[in-house]
Amino acid sequence: MNEQEYITVEEALTAVLDTVPVLPAETVSLMDGLGRILAQDVIAQDSLPPFSNSSMDGYAIRAADVAMASAESPVSLRVIGDIAAGRVLETAVTPGTTARIMTGASLPDGADAVIPVEDTNEAWRDRDRPLPELVKMYSAVKMGDYVRHPGEDIVRGTAVLQSGHQLRPQEIGVLASLGVSQLQVVRRPRIGILATGDELIGVDEPLRAGKIRNSNGFTQMAQVIALGAVPVSLGVAADTEEDVRKKLQAGLDAGVDLFVSSAGVSLGAYDVVKAVLVEGGEMAFWRVRMRPGKPLAHGRYHGVPYLGLPGNPVSAMVSFERFARAAILKMGGHRRLERPLIPVILQDEIESDGRESYIRAVVERTADGYIGTTTGGQGSHMMTSLVKANALLIVPEGVKTVCAGETMQAWMLDWPEYVF
Ligand code: AMP
Ligand code: MG
């Protein structure tokens, strides 16, 4: 691809994704697996539940004994034991007998059902009462009622979770119940973040003539963390090839999996990032038919995939959203690389220049469906337009005007409660 060529967002994304691999697996302890992608199948070594147990506090019985029981003509059974959760009753329940049983306690031999305590004359009595000798059963139950059977949830030997599955709290719980304390997950991507520009000063420094604080570096580190990846701050490079090379070397030394830099990729006199990339690796410099965020440098620096984002803070963030995000998710083993897109009804008019445009907007839910309203000033230096936004409305390539009332696709940046 030569310098003059304009490519589509889709073409750029495909090329970026082609340069990054899915990272290898590492072994982590269970809690460190949260949010990560499994790199192994998990075969259940136990069945769950592991044994027949009661789903209610009540009495373990033989269903045949209470077949005729009702409130008007209760059946009395002799109590032979008490089974707390965690205990096992050594004696069997025989015809005419019962054992008190708590939720989760092991069903004793001989019993085939449980009568909830509410259906006996023991309901609502003192917690500390001694075990009664006789209990009156007020209702009939069928065999198996209120019994949770072994393997009902998970059968030993089955593949419970497959490689590629993302671990949420519920997966962590299932793994804990199966005794999995160590597991293989895809390694977290390490992303080297470099800001470039002579005008940049640190976040702690007072403003002075001609200078602005480096915000991109922080936005991008935050974006990286939000994706479950690890940012490696490479600081700020001056607009010299020498300083850019020096800062990138620190990233190589730290073993980053991807470089993300901002600025220095336009056509300005001091845009040195491209030169450094050309000299130190392979570079494709593109003008992407996208708004905001036309320039995008991409390639490898000493073998490490590289994304050079534009400098304007909104362009940088949106380009990260569109390209770096998918690349980082892919490296981390994710299969779904895109944000959810939902159709919304536009409330105001949008003008575009024919490039695929990402318009900052607020999406809300109304009785008539989702509506989207642009956040006003769309200058690519105006970060507050992104602070107000929860979505980017996509104007497709080739479209120059979208009128109020038309339906657009919204790329949801987040899903605040008021959208649901
Ligand atoms: P450039 O791509 O170097 O021409 O930069 C484009 C615009 O982005 C300029 O107004 C820069 O001052 C601004 N810019 C570049 N880097 C940053 C940064 N790290 N934080 C905030 N603004 C930046
Ligand atoms: Mg610059």
Side-chain angles (χ1 to χ4, degrees), residues 137-158:
M137 309 295 177
Y138 292 147
S139 71
V141 287
K142 295 189 303 298
M143 242 197 241
D145 279 0
Y146 304 107
V147 175
R148 304 189 288 212
H149 299 284
E152 218 169 54
D153 189 12
I154 295 170
V155 175
R156 182 193 159 117
T158 52

Side-chain angles (χ1 to χ4, degrees), residues 196-200 239 262-266 268 270-272 311:
T196 71
D198 282 345
E199 73 277 36
L200 301 178
D239 284 323
S262 57
V265 289
S266 306
Y270 303 95
D271 288 336
V272 296

